[in-house]
Amino acid sequence: MINAPFLVFFIGAAIVLALPGRSERSGRLRKIVMLAVPLAGLINLLTLDQTTVWQLQWLDLDLVLFTSDRLSFIFGILFHIAAIIATIYAWHVKDRPQQAVALLYPGSALGIVFAGDFLTLFVFWECLALTSVFFITARATPRAIKSAIRYLVFQVVSGVLLLTGSLLMLHQTGGIAIGPLDMTDPGAIFFLLAFGIKAAFPMLHNWLTDAYPEATVSGTVFLGAFTTKVAVYVLARTFTGLDALIYIGMAMACFPIFYAVIENDLRRVLSYSMINQIGFMVCGIGIGTELAVNGAVAHAFNDVIFKGLLMMSMGAVLFRTGDMRASNLGGLFRTMPKTTALCLVGAASISAFPLFSGFVSKSMVMAALLLQHHEFVWLAMLFASAGVFHHAGIKIPYFAFFAHDSGLRPEEAPRHMLIAMSIAAALCIFVGSFPQLLYRHLPFAVDYAPFELPHVVEQVQLLFFSALAFIWLQLKNIYPAELKSTNIDSEWLYRKFWPAIYTTACAIAQKLHLGINGFASATATMLTPMARKQSYDLLMPWSVRAMLMVVMAFLGVVLGLFYLV
């Protein structure tokens, strides 16, 4: 038995890298190791003594490499399940570095989840950033490389902020143990910004919508499962009950809807949808009650599964057609019926249909809002719930598999992709039908019944009228058309606006510099003859009378200043 779950994955990655050769036998062996590692890790975690603490002494610091409680345990289970599903889905990948990264990346996420101090957290935080970027660069297109660079800049800035907060805490308190924080604590603002970048807070979110759609077919599935969810975990660990998170979460849930509705790239639609769902989790953490935190954690668990299912279905479409633009797709249900059916399960889950996983977790956050008298926020989140049904529950399957006939007749998704999607779909239905199996592992005891008649009726009404609105907009040709265009997001500020301001300022400064130089040169040319004459006069011998007049004038000035002071 290994104390730290991340070690299982790191050892597995080392074995994958060590297995030589490009033969089919070596490739099959690496795949077996890749699948065996998360399975062995899950068994190791389930049999691990939860009271175990693994500490390391370094430079007079007590580093806690492993510590566990109910919150870290459920995220640990989630990340092992996600790694198993994603590994099966990526069975077609033969690139050895990608295979190793597919183990190092979830291993880094597990290191974050079970870390007991901020310095250990920082080390795994950076490992997570460095390993995840390979899923983007592996696509090897110029656009993917540029997106990877921008992605890495954001992740490194997040790590620098985290390290800054850790050092401030160490300097002022002498300790770096992870625990509840408020905004008066040393380094709290740096921690919040660091976590906010990885959680895709508003104005800090563009790395997600920029990079995830450019990753490989299987890379997007891995990315969607870990990076943002470790941010949700550390927010729940440190900033539970911070009121500002309620309104940040509300903004995150609402603003992506408008972008997702007009977006043509379906994987980018899902990226905006991911921000929308994280908004519910952040809002629940901000409320801070036991019901709200349970709802946030449960929704994080379910989101990894149903969002992964949607990402996998769109990845299968991309794998078979080579295109992800809604304007170029449609009619794929004829030759990809199994992928279509599995995608519909994911769409029902993210839309929170009763008996699907999203319903049993999202409703907990909504109920917590009403119990804490946040009626305005509740209305905004209700709007966000209707919006996610439009762009993820309807738009994704409708424009990919139905809508107009694109004429494409691709093969059904490969068998390993169908197996991975089927596992995720089964979990969506199982958790949605038997939520108590999830509730019993949440951080706090759960006293909530999701299938009460008012909850069910309210959700069914919301979904019914949202569907009617979509149908009416389609019939009236008012629903935004799928255009081959690039939508401008807040990234325009740092990609276009600020560079334009900088270029303009440099041009103005250069013109001022040239103007001042020209004026100084002209003035010097004009004054040179006069200066030469004055210099000649000063160098000539002075008379005694002139010298006495200068001395008298100087003494008069000194006396005047003396009496004035």
Side-chain angles (χ1 to χ4, degrees), residues 16 29-38 87 98-100 102-103:
V16 167
L29 185 58
R30 285 197 297 270
K31 292 176 181 178
I32 292 172
V33 171
M34 286 180 63
L35 183 57
V37 166
T87 300
Q98 282 193 69
Q99 292 174 327
L103 295 176

Side-chain angles (χ1 to χ4, degrees), residues 80 115 165 265 279 293 336 349 437 540 553:
H80 279 89
D265 188 312
V293 174
M336 301 182 73
S349 299
L437 296 175
M540 292 297 292

Side-chain angles (χ1 to χ4, degrees), residues 27 38 42 81 90 109 179 218 294 305 346-347 356 386 400 459 464 468 472 495:
L42 182 59
I81 293 173
S218 58
N294 279 339
I305 307 301
F356 290 86
Q459 188 64 18
F464 177 74
L468 282 181
W472 183 80
R495 293 182 65 181

Side-chain angles (χ1 to χ4, degrees), residues 351-354 359 385 454-464:
S351 302
F353 272 83
F359 176 76
S385 297
H455 292 159
V456 175
V457 172
E458 174 192 308
Q459 188 64 18
V460 170
Q461 287 177 333
L462 178 68
L463 296 171
F464 177 74

Side-chain angles (χ1 to χ4, degrees), residues 213-233:
E214 302 303 326
T216 62
V217 168
S218 58
T220 305
V221 178
F222 277 96
L223 291 171
F226 297 102
T227 296
T228 53
K229 301 313 174 293
V230 298
V232 170
Y233 165 78

Side-chain angles (χ1 to χ4, degrees), residues 345-539:
V345 173
S349 299
I350 195 173
S351 302
F353 272 83
L355 299 180
F356 290 86
S357 57
F359 176 76
V360 302
S361 54
K362 187 184 293 183
S363 58
M364 297 174 75
V365 177
M366 299 295 286
L369 282 169
L370 287 179
L371 288 174
Q372 297 302 308
H373 306 290
H374 292 289
E375 286 81 6
F376 172 76
V377 180
W378 180 84
L379 286 172
M381 302 304 269
L382 197 66
F383 165 77
S385 297
V388 73
F389 179 49
H390 266 255
H391 69 253
I394 297 178
K395 178 175 180 173
I396 292 293
Y398 179 73
F399 287 105
F401 300 105
F402 304 102
H404 59 277
D405 187 356
S406 62
L408 297 173
R409 296 295 183 268
E411 295 181 36
E412 181 59 273
R415 183 180 301 173
H416 64 274
M417 290 187 177
L418 291 174
I419 292 172
M421 288 188 283
S422 298
I423 295 172
L427 286 172
C428 288
I429 297 172
F430 186 77
V431 173
S433 302
F434 305 99
Q436 295 303 326
L437 296 175
L438 172 62
Y439 289 172
R440 71 177 59 171
H441 296 292
L442 294 177
F444 305 103
V446 177
D447 182 17
Y448 178 75
F451 295 117
E452 289 183 350
L453 187 60
H455 292 159
V456 175
V457 172
E458 174 192 308
Q459 188 64 18
V460 170
Q461 287 177 333
L462 178 68
L463 296 171
F464 177 74
F465 285 107
S466 295
L468 282 181
F470 178 83
I471 294 170
W472 183 80
L473 291 171
Q474 281 289 109
L475 293 176
K476 295 294 182 180
N477 294 320
I478 300 175
Y479 194 84
E482 306 309 305
L483 302 176
K484 299 178 181 180
S485 59
T486 301
N487 295 321
I488 296 176
D489 202 339
S490 61
E491 67 179 50
W492 178 81
L493 292 173
Y494 63 83
R495 293 182 65 181
K496 297 293 183 181
F497 179 72
W498 291 118
I501 292 293
Y502 176 76
T503 303
T504 303
C506 288
I508 293 173
Q510 186 176 12
K511 288 181 179 180
L512 287 173
H513 177 70
L514 293 174
I516 292 170
N517 279 351
F519 176 77
S521 178
T523 303
T525 301
M526 181 182 66
L527 295 177
T528 296
M530 187 184 304
R532 286 177 178 174
K533 183 179 182 304
Q534 295 295 327
S535 299
Y536 177 78
D537 292 341
L538 289 171
L539 292 173

